[in-house]
Amino acid sequence: MEKPMEILQLLTTRRSEKRLSEPAPNEEQLKQIFQAALNVPDHGRLHPYRFIIIEGKGLNKFKTLLQAAVEEFELGEEALKKAENLAHRAPMVIGVVAKIKKDIPKVPGWEQMLSAGCATYAIQLAANAQGFANVWISGKWVNGNALRKAFSCEEYDQVIGLVMLGTAEEKNEREKKIQNIEDFVSYL
């Protein structure tokens, strides 16, 4: 395992990796990952998110849940094959559920959703900082009734992502992306 990255290096070089294998984070590493997630901006200290760890035999159940979503939404044979592949693309998956509370006027649902998104990104960064690769995926399957039930979702809850974690199978040397910030930044 590499030593922890410098913060700016981590933020400017983070990339999604889709080919993942063992090892995945262990229990102690997961604790650090979730501590990072629990410390994101959170107006009202609502912690409007939950995390579901899927690994080992749970990946087979996960495959069944993805396949059920493909059938529910009539996505076709190609999507069914993709669901099978997706379920075993990484040794660990963390499902992220935004727990939206509609009855809090001071903290609207969109703010709670952003907090859950920040928690998801913190999971990615904390995993990267410990030497693990990952990718955040979504798609129609996150709305499947079987998956929502397995994740104990309530009416207003939203599965916002599936973070696949592991060790990059092929360490692709990528050219550093230098963004032209002028396209995104202005002054008032």
Side-chain angles (χ1 to χ4, degrees), residues 19-25 53-56 59 87-93 132-133 164-167 169:
R19 296 185 186 276
L20 303 167
S21 60
E22 294 284 350
I53 300 169
I54 307 162
E55 61 183 340
L59 292 169
H88 293 283
R89 189 183 287 170
M92 179 181 287
V93 179
F132 296 101
M164 307 187 112
L165 292 165
T167 301
E169 286 183 3

Side-chain angles (χ1 to χ4, degrees), residues 29-58:
Q29 291 162 327
L30 278 174
K31 284 180 185 176
Q32 290 181 335
I33 287 169
F34 291 126
Q35 278 300 318
L38 293 171
N39 281 286
V40 300
D42 179 10
H43 187 189
R45 297 185 189 149
L46 299 175
H47 293 102
Y49 37 75
R50 284 182 38 267
F51 312 111
I52 298 89
I53 300 169
I54 307 162
E55 61 183 340
K57 293 179 181 179

Side-chain angles (χ1 to χ4, degrees), residues 118-135:
C118 287
T120 307
Y121 189 50
I123 287 170
Q124 290 189 287
L125 292 175
N128 285 146
Q130 295 181 76
F132 296 101
N134 60 73
V135 61

Side-chain angles (χ1 to χ4, degrees), residues 45-113:
R45 297 185 189 149
L46 299 175
H47 293 102
Y49 37 75
R50 284 182 38 267
F51 312 111
I52 298 89
I53 300 169
I54 307 162
E55 61 183 340
K57 293 179 181 179
L59 292 169
N60 290 326
K61 183 173 183 178
F62 180 55
K63 178 177 89 170
T64 303
L65 296 170
L66 294 178
Q67 290 170 325
V70 169
E71 291 174 18
E72 178 182 348
F73 299 120
E74 300 176 356
L75 300 177
E77 283 299 313
E78 190 173 314
L80 195 57
K81 289 177 186 172
K82 186 174 181 181
E84 289 175 21
N85 176 41
L86 193 60
H88 293 283
R89 189 183 287 170
M92 179 181 287
V93 179
I94 298 175
V96 182
V97 177
K99 302 288 296 172
I100 307 302
K101 296 170 183 78
K102 297 281 188 180
D103 58 345
I104 304 176
K106 185 179 174 185
V107 187
W110 65 265
E111 256 190 67
Q112 296 174 54
M113 185 73 77

